[in-house]
Amino acid sequence: MAGRLPWNIGGRSRHGRHIQLPVYEKPRTPSRERLTNDSYDESDYDEYSTTSSPEIGNSRHTSTTSSLVVPILAKPRLPVPRGAGRPYFYRLPNKVVRYLCFGLVSFIVLLILTLARASQNENRAHAEGRIGKKPPAPHIWESYPYLTRYYGGIRNLVPGTQNKPEYPRAEDELPLDKLGFVQGIQTPETTAAQRRSAPLSKEFAAHPQSVFKATPETLNECFLDSEKKVRVPAIRYYDGRPNGFPDAILGSSELFGFPDDICFERYGRYSPYGLGYSARSGGLGTGEHGDREGFESTWEKVPRVDWKSMNWAEIQRQCYVSNAARYKPLPARQPMPHGFFVDEGKAAKSLSVHDTTLDERPQPVTGNPEKDKLAEPLTEEGPKEAKGNVLPRTAVVVRCWDEFFWKEEDVMNMRSLIAELALASGGRYDVHLLVQVKNDAANPIWADSDTYKRRIEESIPAEFRGIVTLWTETQMLALYQGIFDLWTRGPDLPIHGVYRGLQMAMQYFAYQHPEYDYFWQWEMDIRYTGHYYDLFSKMERWTKEQPRKGLWERNARFYLPSVHGSWEDFKQMARVQTEMGVKGADNMWEGVPGAEKDPQRSRGDKPIWGPERPKDPKDWYDADNDPTPPTTYEKDKYVWGVGEEADYITFNPMFDPEHTSWGLADDITGYNEGDGNGKPPRRANIITASRMSRRLLLTMHKETAFLKHHAFPEMWPGSVALHHGFKAVFVPHPLYVDREWPTEVLAQTLNNGKNGASGGSRTSVFGDREHNLEGLTWFYRSAFSPRLYRRWLGLSVDNVGGEEFELIVDESKNGSSVQEMRGGEGRMCLPPMLVHPVKDVELPVEELLPEVTIPESDPAA
């Protein structure tokens, strides 16, 4: 065929031309195939490279190698599926693995032991007090503002009827302008002539509401010396109260007849007993600072008393002798049966005199002709001029210890106590000091009478040494052997010690003193800003008139007049709450499905009517002589108990410690609690200051000695009175609070126990919730009482009070808080109130320089 080019030009075929193209071949290595993790086959990539990647330099391949070359259109090979590649781990030798496991287990065991040991050490440190607890969250009451008008002075007094109290106030009242209380007081620019002067003070004995005018008595005046020339100076008061002074939040002055429109400042209260003049003149050498205007009025009618040479034992004895016809005859005092003495024939008497109570009084014989002559009116029939109206006598026993450091303020308070009780009452009261000797190993007072006397001389101021009775813990251990000790406060506080066995010394003191029918137990850190005789006599008279119906139920509650209304309203409320029951925090879940049912709570409590004895009759003592109700509870018309002297008088509610968080609720021993009896019924009141009858104290004494019964001192008298049906009364005396509590909140907080009482449940204020009482003027750990009392004495506490505060007005302050008070109102003036505790008051005292004798000059020299 002309013009057509043949395919095999030059003798070469198409296949031959293909072989001449460059061919790329990628070698495969076993290692690559073994280590790859790709999901596709590498042969695909190789074939693609062979057909599409010509390589220059391969043109020299001959036809002999063409059979080994993959043709361009060769059929592709399908990929061979292979599993994913797995990592390869190195396996440790068994020996190494064993060592690692052993080390890991050892570490875990060591860690557990270390943590357990650390926990034990921490628990021990907490128990020993070496690790401080985290500070608790602030209490709710700490957010309430402080009241300021307690610190007003005598230059800003208003009549009681015109006083607008800062507290308590109704919730709907407008806020007070606290600066308005101090309007009219001098400013720094006021001249001395323009400055408001202090009003005149008056004698308290002349006040129409005082005990001397309200219930006058016929008695012979008592003097401070044997010649009957030195009279006791009268304490003085001011009419009115500082403008805006708060009312008492607890208790009432009206109930007892206390004057509520007067106030006392420090000089009117304590100048009669040595405050404000020099020790060289017979005073205390203190109180000569601050505002002193008007303090000289104390000495208008009587001269200043030289107190250095007083002997209070002789003064009290002389006062009693001059008024002996007013009282029951003294029983004979029999020495203890310590053997045979040949000179005891005339004085031999029945030893049972120690066990007599009240009306069981034998004819007195002292063996001293002079004293028998003085006591001639004391016959078996009683005093002729007082027949049918003889009065019982009372001992005021002040607790103290031999290492107590007497300060000037303690001395003047003790003087006021004796003068206002023993002397002002005409011998109706005697004041004693019951002093504990703490280290009787170093002071063996029972082995030697000279050691007994010397210990008194070393510990007690000279004027009070004659009224001292010593006691020791080992003495109580010898008297009351065999008591089972529960050690509720650890091994350092045994049951015979002063903390848990405080009443033992009082029991034995009452046994030794049959001349008294009643015993006030008093403490060294109690103060009263009014007259002691006015306080004691009015409280005793009020308790005597209280009926027994509903008495224990009223005793268990705080009385807040601003919430509860009158006393009659309070009595009715206590009765209804007891009989009907009250829904409270302790029974709020009753009626809820699944809650435990207590049928007794919904029906209230059974009123106490007569003795509430322990379940086991073997725990009863002299039950036949216990008082019994003359009729049933329902039939009584509030008659039983009226006119009956109280066996037990307290200043705080008598609460049921059962189910409360009070730490000493179970500190009662000697009773049969097995066979389902449980603990006996009991009552407690915080603070041991109280009045106890000799009947009550002798019952406590014999139960402790013979039945081995005993309880914590704040629970023992109330429990015995409950068991025997004795009359016990809580006195709702006026108490003041330092903060502006909402009154309803305060009432609910204090009476938050079972059925509206203060105790009987875990929500009681006594125990874990006692911090709510720290702002009151009467509580054992009150923070308000010591501050208030020290400022009243003219001392500065937290930069409030003192001489500058009394005399100078600070206009830069706005009066909104205690720290912002302007001052300048003069000496603080407080109404009659009990204050507790007051300890270690340091008054500035003048330095006593030795007297220097200047020789007389010789004119002839």
Side-chain angles (χ1 to χ4, degrees):
M1 293 175 44
R4 180 177 297 179
L5 295 175
W7 288 101
N8 294 322
I9 299 175
R12 297 183 182 180
S13 66
R14 180 187 297 179
H15 186 70
R17 289 195 306 269
H18 176 70
I19 294 176
Q20 300 301 319
L21 295 175
V23 178
Y24 173 77
E25 287 187 14
K26 187 173 183 179
R28 296 182 182 179
T29 60
S31 60
R32 179 176 178 87
E33 295 177 359
R34 187 166 54 242
L35 298 179
T36 181
N37 286 326
D38 296 338
S39 60
Y40 56 87
D41 194 348
E42 190 152 349
S43 61
D44 298 337
Y45 180 78
D46 293 340
E47 293 171 1
Y48 174 78
S49 302
T50 303
T51 58
S52 60
S53 301
E55 181 176 331
I56 303 172
N58 288 338
S59 59
R60 289 178 287 181
H61 284 217
T62 62
S63 60
T64 59
T65 61
S66 63
S67 62
L68 300 176
V69 180
V70 179
I72 295 177
L73 299 179
K75 185 179 178 180
R77 289 179 296 174
L78 295 177
V80 180
R82 292 181 297 178
R86 293 182 179 86
Y88 181 80
F89 295 100
Y90 177 74
R91 181 175 181 181
L92 294 175
N94 292 339
K95 185 176 182 180
V96 175
V97 172
R98 284 196 298 269
Y99 281 127
L100 289 176
C101 293
F102 177 77
L104 180 60
V105 172
S106 301
F107 172 76
I108 294 175
V109 173
L110 183 62
L111 180 62
I112 294 174
L113 295 177
T114 303
L115 293 176
R117 181 61 177 171
S119 178
Q120 292 179 352
N121 291 338
E122 185 177 7
N123 292 338
R124 185 180 297 107
H126 275 296
E128 296 174 356
R130 291 186 283 109
I131 296 180
K133 297 181 180 179
K134 294 181 180 180
H139 303 297
I140 295 178
W141 55 265
E142 294 185 49
S143 63
Y144 302 145
Y146 282 103
L147 300 172
T148 63
R149 295 309 303 160
Y150 289 116
Y151 308 106
I154 59 175
R155 302 181 192 277
N156 192 21
L157 299 179
V158 295
T161 55
Q162 300 178 16
N163 181 41
K164 187 177 182 181
E166 180 187 15
Y167 179 81
R169 303 174 65 250
E171 294 182 359
D172 56 352
E173 290 188 46
L174 295 175
L176 288 173
D177 177 17
K178 295 189 178 182
L179 280 179
F181 290 126
V182 295
Q183 297 299 327
I185 301 177
Q186 70 273 13
T187 64
E189 293 78 17
T190 306
T191 63
Q194 297 172 331
R195 181 175 300 168
R196 177 186 293 187
S197 60
L200 298 177
S201 62
K202 303 176 183 179
E203 288 188 4
F204 177 74
H207 191 279
Q209 280 188 275
S210 72
V211 65
F212 307 103
K213 292 295 184 181
T215 54
E217 299 174 288
T218 302
L219 50 85
N220 296 322
E221 184 180 4
C222 296
F223 294 84
L224 294 173
D225 63 329
S226 57
E227 290 79 16
K228 298 184 178 181
K229 295 181 180 179
V230 182
R231 285 185 166 86
V232 180
I235 69 171
R236 305 180 72 85
Y237 71 93
Y238 286 89
D239 283 317
R241 291 189 177 187
N243 195 4
F245 195 93
D247 286 341
I249 186 60
L250 295 173
S252 170
S253 299
E254 183 182 355
L255 277 179
F256 309 98
F258 298 144
D260 59 356
D261 59 347
I262 66 173
C263 64
F264 294 85
E265 47 79 42
R266 60 179 179 270
Y267 289 118
R269 180 70 183 89
Y270 284 134
S271 279
Y273 310 111
L275 179 69
Y277 60 97
S278 171
R280 288 191 174 88
S281 302
L284 292 169
T286 186
E288 302 178 78
H289 64 284
D291 181 18
R292 291 168 55 85
E293 181 181 356
F295 93 102
E296 301 90 351
S297 57
T298 304
W299 318 113
E300 289 177 352
K301 297 181 180 180
V302 295
R304 296 182 179 182
V305 177
D306 184 357
W307 295 98
K308 291 182 294 186
S309 58
M310 292 295 159
N311 184 338
W312 287 108
E314 288 299 326
I315 293 171
Q316 291 187 91
R317 188 175 292 113
Q318 175 182 295
C319 183
Y320 166 75
V321 170
S322 63
N323 292 278
R326 303 178 66 230
Y327 308 108
K328 293 180 179 180
L330 291 178
R333 184 166 56 89
Q334 175 66 36
M336 297 298 292
H338 285 167
F340 167 73
F341 299 91
V342 294
D343 60 346
E344 281 188 349
K346 296 181 180 180
K349 296 291 180 298
S350 173
L351 297 179
S352 64
V353 67
H354 288 286
D355 302 309
T356 59
T357 61
L358 299 178
D359 298 327
E360 302 175 10
R361 296 290 188 261
Q363 183 177 356
V365 177
T366 65
N368 187 328
E370 295 183 1
K371 291 188 177 180
D372 287 343
K373 187 175 181 180
L374 290 173
E376 282 180 358
L378 305 181
T379 63
E380 265 187 38
E381 299 178 356
K384 294 181 180 180
E385 61 271 33
K387 184 177 296 184
N389 194 31
V390 291
L391 299 175
R393 299 189 68 240
T394 302
V396 180
V397 184
V398 184
R399 309 299 300 257
C400 191
W401 61 96
D402 60 339
E403 297 173 2
F404 180 79
F405 184 74
W406 287 76
K407 297 182 174 64
E408 289 74 18
E409 193 273 337
D410 300 305
V411 171
M412 67 184 186
N413 175 68
M414 183 60 62
R415 289 172 180 172
S416 70
L417 189 69
I418 301 175
E420 294 167 15
L421 285 177
L423 306 190
S425 67
R428 180 179 169 187
Y429 297 87
D430 286 342
V431 178
H432 295 256
L433 276 173
L434 188 58
V435 181
Q436 179 200 10
V437 178
K438 286 186 171 291
N439 189 355
D440 51 347
N443 301 283
I445 58 175
W446 309 121
D448 181 54
S449 58
D450 291 335
T451 304
Y452 189 103
K453 181 180 178 181
R454 183 173 62 252
R455 192 55 188 159
I456 295 176
E457 294 173 348
E458 294 171 350
S459 307
I460 309 298
E463 58 188 287
F464 305 121
R465 291 171 185 169
I467 62 175
V468 172
T469 300
L470 300 181
W471 72 279
T472 65
E473 291 185 5
T474 53
Q475 179 194 18
M476 298 300 108
L477 182 61
L479 288 170
Y480 301 112
Q481 274 287 334
I483 302 176
F484 181 74
D485 198 340
L486 300 175
W487 302 106
T488 54
R489 279 292 183 265
D492 296 331
L493 296 172
I495 198 169
H496 295 89
V498 66
Y499 179 71
R500 295 178 55 221
L502 185 69
Q503 297 293 346
M504 291 182 178
M506 277 296 298
Q507 294 169 188
Y508 189 61
F509 183 89
Y511 177 76
Q512 289 182 309
H513 288 273
E515 68 271 24
Y516 302 114
D517 296 320
Y518 303 98
F519 298 81
W520 276 101
Q521 182 169 240
W522 213 242
E523 298 178 10
M524 286 295 297
D525 56 356
I526 296 176
R527 302 291 183 268
Y528 185 59
T529 57
H531 196 284
Y532 276 112
Y533 184 46
D534 190 73
L535 171 71
F536 279 51
S537 60
K538 289 180 178 178
M539 286 193 305
E540 292 169 353
R541 188 177 299 112
W542 183 82
T543 58
K544 186 176 180 179
E545 298 304 318
Q546 295 307 299
R548 280 179 172 260
K549 186 173 183 178
L551 184 58
W552 283 103
E553 290 71 35
R554 296 191 297 274
N555 288 342
R557 289 163 170 81
F558 287 93
Y559 173 47
L560 286 78
S562 60
V563 177
H564 300 143
S566 67
W567 181 253
E568 290 300 321
D569 294 336
F570 176 72
K571 289 170 59 177
Q572 178 72 3
M573 181 200 72
R575 183 186 67 83
V576 171
Q577 286 181 342
T578 302
E579 296 177 359
M580 304 300 294
V582 176
K583 280 285 186 180
D586 62 322
N587 59 0
M588 62 187 299
W589 300 111
E590 289 186 3
V592 177
E596 295 183 4
K597 295 183 179 180
D598 188 352
Q600 296 298 326
R601 288 190 181 275
S602 60
R603 295 197 301 267
D605 293 325
K606 177 185 175 182
I608 295 176
W609 191 242
E612 290 284 325
R613 299 189 179 99
K615 292 183 179 180
D616 190 349
K618 294 181 181 179
D619 288 327
W620 299 358
Y621 178 82
D622 198 19
D624 295 337
N625 292 324
D626 291 342
T628 56
T631 183
T632 62
Y633 180 85
E634 292 75 14
K635 291 182 180 180
D636 182 77
K637 304 300 181 182
Y638 292 93
V639 175
W640 185 38
V642 176
E644 177 188 5
E645 288 282 359
D647 291 280
Y648 189 42
I649 301 175
T650 68
F651 294 101
N652 265 340
M654 288 175 256
F655 66 97
D656 181 3
E658 188 73 20
H659 303 303
T660 67
S661 59
W662 187 48
L664 295 154
D666 295 330
D667 192 7
I668 185 168
T669 186
Y671 293 88
N672 180 16
E673 300 180 17
D675 301 326
N677 293 324
K679 292 189 178 296
R682 52 206 188 278
R683 292 294 183 270
N685 70 283
I686 305 300
I687 302 176
T688 56
S690 57
R691 193 191 80 163
M692 293 169 280
S693 68
R694 191 164 190 267
R695 175 173 70 169
L696 173 61
L697 283 167
L698 286 184
T699 303
M700 294 160 58
H701 167 68
K702 292 180 179 179
E703 283 205 34
T704 306
F706 299 117
L707 297 185
K708 314 306 177 185
H709 293 169
H710 197 261
F712 190 72
E714 294 176 338
M715 184 166 54
W716 182 224
S719 299
V720 174
L722 180 67
H723 298 167
H724 292 269
F726 295 158
K727 186 178 181 181
V729 185
F730 156 54
V731 175
H733 60 104
L735 269 71
Y736 298 81
V737 67
D738 64 340
R739 294 178 185 260
E740 195 172 350
W741 279 75
T743 53
E744 292 286 348
V745 174
L746 182 60
Q748 181 62 36
T749 301
L750 299 184
N751 293 327
N752 200 30
K754 182 181 180 182
N755 290 331
S758 60
S761 76
R762 59 179 178 80
T763 56
S764 169
V765 72
F766 297 108
D768 295 340
R769 295 170 177 82
E770 287 181 3
H771 58 82
N772 293 288
L773 303 172
E774 292 180 5
L776 298 177
T777 50
W778 179 265
F779 193 59
Y780 76 97
R781 67 184 204 191
S782 170
F784 179 43
S785 296
R787 290 199 305 264
L788 181 68
Y789 186 79
R790 281 172 167 80
R791 290 167 180 164
W792 180 71
L793 287 178
L795 302 177
S796 177
V797 181
D798 299 332
N799 296 321
V800 177
E803 182 174 2
E804 183 177 349
F805 180 79
E806 293 176 351
L807 297 174
I808 301 175
V809 179
D810 189 350
E811 290 286 341
S812 64
K813 297 184 177 180
N814 57 24
S816 60
S817 64
V818 176
Q819 301 294 335
E820 288 294 322
M821 289 189 68
R822 291 185 171 183
E825 300 183 45
R827 300 188 296 275
M828 280 177 57
C829 204
L830 296 177
M833 67 169 70
L834 278 168
V835 182
H836 175 73
V838 177
K839 304 175 185 289
D840 302 323
V841 178
E842 294 282 355
L843 295 174
V845 182
E846 67 177 356
E847 183 181 3
L848 289 178
L849 300 176
E851 296 184 1
V852 178
T853 304
I854 303 176
E856 296 182 3
S857 59
D858 186 0

